[in-house]
Amino acid sequence: MTEMFSRAGEKAWEPTPDGNRRRVLVHTNELMMVEFAFEKGGVGVLHSHPHVQASYVAEGRFEVTVDGRSEILETGGSFIVPSNLVHGVKALEAGRLVDSFAPCRADFLARGLSFERLKGKPAP
């Protein structure tokens, strides 16, 4: 199903395998926008996937690592992750990232999929 519009607060948060929260905002088969929330010290574990990712720091400060290179980004900063590069984040303070993925992350839409099964495995 295509989700073309999203209003503030209407999408439910769900836990992520690494202990943070996410909510899918809008998506088509070709593109998806997802908001992630982190507590201070929260980690988005190092991982890779075939999707191209562009991320915007909506709130907070993050140590972002892409392909072995780390930078500190604050509110208003952004980064891009080309397909299959290893990347991850650490929240230096509580914050939120808004990520876009191309194509859509079908694994984020799967209902009833065990987070334990996803933990540590690359996305399809």
Side-chain angles (χ1 to χ4, degrees):
M1 180 169 122
T2 298
E3 297 281 340
M4 295 180 63
F5 299 97
S6 178
R7 289 176 176 72
E10 77 178 1
K11 303 293 180 164
W13 289 100
E14 61 183 60
T16 63
D18 49 17
N20 303 298
R21 297 180 301 147
R22 76 169 168 237
R23 57 181 169 186
V24 174
L25 301 174
V26 291
H27 67 88
T28 67
N29 288 336
E30 297 82 20
L31 183 64
M32 169 183 266
M33 184 179 290
V34 182
E35 182 177 16
F36 289 84
F38 296 81
E39 297 299 324
K40 181 178 181 177
V43 173
V45 296
L46 289 172
H47 65 287
S48 66
H49 44 72
H51 313 80
V52 175
Q53 175 181 333
S55 300
Y56 174 76
V57 180
E59 180 179 54
R61 285 181 59 233
F62 291 85
E63 179 180 3
V64 178
T65 302
V66 178
D67 197 29
R69 180 178 170 196
S70 295
E71 297 274 339
I72 305 297
L73 296 176
E74 299 180 348
T75 301
S78 57
F79 60 98
I80 195 160
V81 182
S83 181
N84 295 313
L85 286 188
V86 174
H87 61 285
V89 300
K90 179 178 180 183
L92 302 177
E93 57 188 52
R96 294 179 297 111
L97 298 175
V98 177
D99 295 352
S100 293
F101 299 96
C104 178
R105 294 280 307 255
D107 56 318
F108 286 5
L109 300 175
R111 299 293 182 234
L113 192 55
S114 165
F115 285 119
E116 290 304 312
R117 204 170 106 204
L118 284 175
K119 203 177 266 190
K121 294 190 177 184

